[in-house]
Amino acid sequence: MKMLPGIGVFGTGSVVRIIVPFLRAKGFVVVAIWGRTPASAQQVAKELSIPFYTSKVDEVLLRKDVDLIFVLCSPHLHAQISVKALGIGKHVLCDRPAGICQNDALKMVKASQYYPSLISIVNHSLRFLPAFTMMRKCLRDNYVGKRIDLCDVRIRISSLIDETEGYDWTCDERMGGGILTLVGSHVIDLLSFLTGLRATRVHGVIRTFESETARVQGIRRVTAPDFATFQLELGGPINDYNLLTGDRAPLLVTVQLMSSNQAGAFNQELVITGEAGALWVKGGDLHGRRNNAKEECLYLDVEDLENPTGNESLPRPYMKGLLKMVGALREAFQSVEDRRGWVKEPVADAATFQDGQYVQAVMEALRKSSRHMSWERVILADEEEQDLNNPLLTRAAAMLRHP
C-alpha cells in the first residue's frame, strides 16, 4: 500500500481533536502540530500522541516528513501559513474562512495559481455531505424544473464562542469570529455549489445580542455577531450549467442564522423550490416533492458517525462533511505511487481558494449592507490593497499579541 503524505497541523482547537484520530484511521501520519503557545501545543500533542510540537510556524513547514498542511488555527494566520506552505511545495487544506478579509484570500489565490501542481482547498465541508451532493445531482436532473424560484436557509446553533479559552478570536468579529464568518461562509459557498450561480447583490442585517458571557465581561465585550439574516441575488453561471433560463430575474435566496446559549439543539434546513417541485435538506436527510405528487425521501442519513473524542462542538453535518473530505483526500493521494503525487478527481468538488475569495467578497458586502441598511453589490477584488489600509489584519494581529 502506498505511503500517504505526512501531515502538519496548525491549531489546537476542538476540530483538531476530532480530525487527528480520523486522519490516522484513514492511514495518514500526523507528524507535527503547531500551537499559539508552547504549552498549548505540548498539551494537545501529548493528548493526541503527536511526536513533534512547536509554537514556531517554520518548524512545521520546513520538516521534510510534512507534505500536507492542515491550517485549523485562527483566521488571521490562514493566509500567512497557506501562502508560505505552497511556496515551499506543501499541499494545503485551509479551514474556513480564507483569511479575515478579501485581501488575505487574494494572496492565497495568487499563491495557488502560481503552484497549480499542489492541492489548495478550503474546508467548506458541506459540499461533501451526501444529502447535498445528492441535492446537486437532482437539481442538474431538473427535479424542481428548469427554473429555481427561491432558496431558503435557516440554521440554529449553540454559541460559537470557546468558553474554555476566555477571550479569544472567536469573540471578535474583526478577528474572524461570529455566526456570519463561521457558519454563513459555509452557506454562501454551498449555495454557489448547488446552483452554479454567484451572488451579485446582497442585503443583510447582522447583530450581536449577547455581548457578555460567564468568562467575557467587564472591560471585554463580545463583538462577534450571533444573529444574521440576509438576502442574496444570484446570477451568472460559474460552472458548466445554469439553472436560470431566459431573461428571468436573479434567483432570490433568504438566509437566517442564529447562535445562542439558549438556541437548543442544532437545527439546519435548506429548501429549494422551482416550477416543477421542491427539494429540502433537514439535518442530513434529503426530501423532495414534485408538483401534484407525494413527498419522497431521496436520501436518508443512516450512517453512524463514530466520535472517539466525545466532542460535540462541531455540528454533526459539518463533522461528517469534513470527514468525507478527508476520505476524498486519501483517495486523491492513494491513486499514485509518488508520496506527493495526487489526482484531482476525488477532490474536484472541493472549494478552491478562488471560492474562498468569493465568500469573503459576499461577507464584505453583507457587513457593508448591515451598516448602511441598503442593497450592496458584490465586488471581487483583483488587486491586493496595502496592509496599512487593511485595519482587519493589523488589529487582529495586535489583539492576539496583547490579549
Side-chain angles (χ1 to χ4, degrees):
M1 182 176 293
K2 176 200 169 181
M3 174 181 269
L4 296 173
I7 293 179
V9 177
F10 285 85
T12 55
S14 56
V15 175
V16 173
R17 291 174 168 84
I18 297 170
I19 197 68
V20 168
F22 190 80
L23 285 168
R24 289 199 177 108
K26 287 294 183 180
F28 289 100
V29 179
V30 180
V31 298
I33 188 168
W34 172 94
R36 191 161 68 92
T37 65
S40 63
Q42 182 182 25
Q43 178 184 349
V44 177
K46 183 177 180 180
E47 180 182 333
L48 298 176
S49 301
I50 299 173
F52 179 81
Y53 65 88
T54 182
S55 61
K56 297 179 180 179
V57 171
D58 288 350
E59 288 186 355
V60 174
L61 293 180
L62 295 177
R63 287 183 64 94
K64 292 183 179 180
D65 54 355
V66 171
D67 302 304
L68 172 60
I69 299 296
F70 274 58
V71 187
L72 304 173
C73 52
S74 55
H76 86 285
L77 290 171
H78 286 182
Q80 173 191 337
I81 295 172
S82 298
V83 170
K84 186 175 285 189
L86 290 171
I88 58 178
K90 312 290 186 178
H91 304 287
V92 176
L93 183 149
C94 180
D95 200 8
R96 89 291 181 237
I100 57 173
C101 60
Q102 196 177 169
N103 198 43
D104 270 7
L106 187 55
K107 293 176 182 178
M108 296 167 65
V109 168
K110 291 185 176 181
S112 67
Q113 292 173 339
Y114 196 76
Y115 302 101
S117 62
L118 299 172
I119 289 179
S120 54
I121 59 179
V122 182
N123 173 27
H124 286 303
S125 55
L126 292 180
R127 288 176 174 235
F128 288 86
L129 194 68
F132 288 122
T133 56
M134 180 68 72
M135 174 181 265
R136 186 175 188 242
K137 182 178 184 302
C138 289
L139 290 173
R140 284 189 164 189
D141 293 339
N142 297 325
Y143 186 95
V144 302
K146 294 183 178 180
R147 187 192 72 233
I148 295 178
D149 294 324
L150 179 69
C151 296
D152 182 66
V153 183
R154 297 177 186 273
I155 298 176
R156 186 179 72 242
I157 192 172
S158 59
S159 176
L160 295 167
I161 295 174
D162 189 350
E163 289 284 0
T164 62
E165 296 291 334
Y167 187 90
D168 69 349
W169 68 269
T170 61
C171 301
D172 195 319
E173 178 184 22
R174 291 164 295 189
M175 295 169 69
I179 189 87
L180 177 64
T181 305
L182 299 180
V183 178
S185 59
H186 279 301
V187 174
I188 294 165
D189 175 77
L190 179 64
L191 290 167
S192 67
F193 173 71
L194 292 174
T195 66
L197 305 171
R198 283 188 169 176
T200 55
R201 288 202 314 159
V202 303
H203 184 278
V205 176
I206 304 167
R207 294 287 184 269
T208 304
F209 290 114
E210 296 180 0
S211 59
E212 293 186 348
T213 70
R215 297 190 62 182
V216 181
Q217 50 187 305
I219 193 172
R220 294 290 193 186
R221 286 289 186 273
V222 175
T223 61
D226 48 34
F227 175 82
T229 181
F230 52 88
Q231 295 172 303
L232 308 176
E233 285 187 351
L234 303 188
I238 59 171
N239 295 324
D240 58 350
Y241 69 105
N242 186 347
L243 296 175
L244 300 180
T245 58
D247 297 324
R248 182 174 170 80
L251 169 61
L252 180 65
V253 176
T254 61
V255 180
Q256 185 178 93
L257 312 172
M258 180 179 69
S259 69
S260 169
N261 287 324
Q262 290 78 40
F266 172 78
N267 184 274
Q268 174 175 278
E269 187 171 7
L270 184 148
V271 181
I272 295 180
T273 61
E275 58 184 352
L279 289 165
W280 61 95
V281 171
K282 189 169 184 179
D285 303 332
L286 173 64
H287 297 265
R289 180 166 53 208
R290 298 180 188 272
N291 290 346
N292 303 317
K294 292 183 178 180
E295 175 185 332
E296 55 183 334
C297 180
L298 301 172
Y299 178 83
L300 185 63
D301 185 6
V302 296
E303 181 181 357
D304 290 332
L305 180 62
E306 293 184 2
N307 183 9
T309 65
N311 191 319
E312 297 296 339
S313 59
L314 191 66
R316 185 183 180 90
Y318 299 86
M319 186 192 305
K320 179 168 286 188
L322 177 58
L323 301 185
K324 292 282 186 183
M325 184 162 60
V326 169
L329 274 173
R330 181 182 184 275
E331 292 180 22
F333 287 111
Q334 194 75 53
S335 302
V336 293
E337 292 299 325
D338 182 6
R339 192 178 73 174
R340 293 190 178 187
W342 62 288
V343 293
K344 184 177 181 179
E345 185 177 356
V347 292
D349 288 338
T352 64
F353 285 177
Q354 287 91 337
D355 295 319
Q357 184 193 354
Y358 158 72
V359 171
Q360 285 285 7
V362 175
M363 292 194 296
E364 285 181 1
L366 284 170
R367 295 187 189 103
K368 184 177 180 181
S369 172
S370 185
R371 290 194 305 268
H372 298 170
M373 300 182 68
S374 62
W375 282 89
E376 298 291 341
R377 292 276 178 188
V378 176
I379 300 174
L380 203 63
D382 56 3
E383 293 184 2
E384 296 177 23
E385 297 178 358
Q386 293 295 320
D387 286 347
L388 291 176
N389 296 326
N390 183 356
L392 292 176
L393 183 61
T394 54
R395 179 171 174 78
M399 293 189 74
L400 279 179
R401 286 196 300 268
H402 308 288

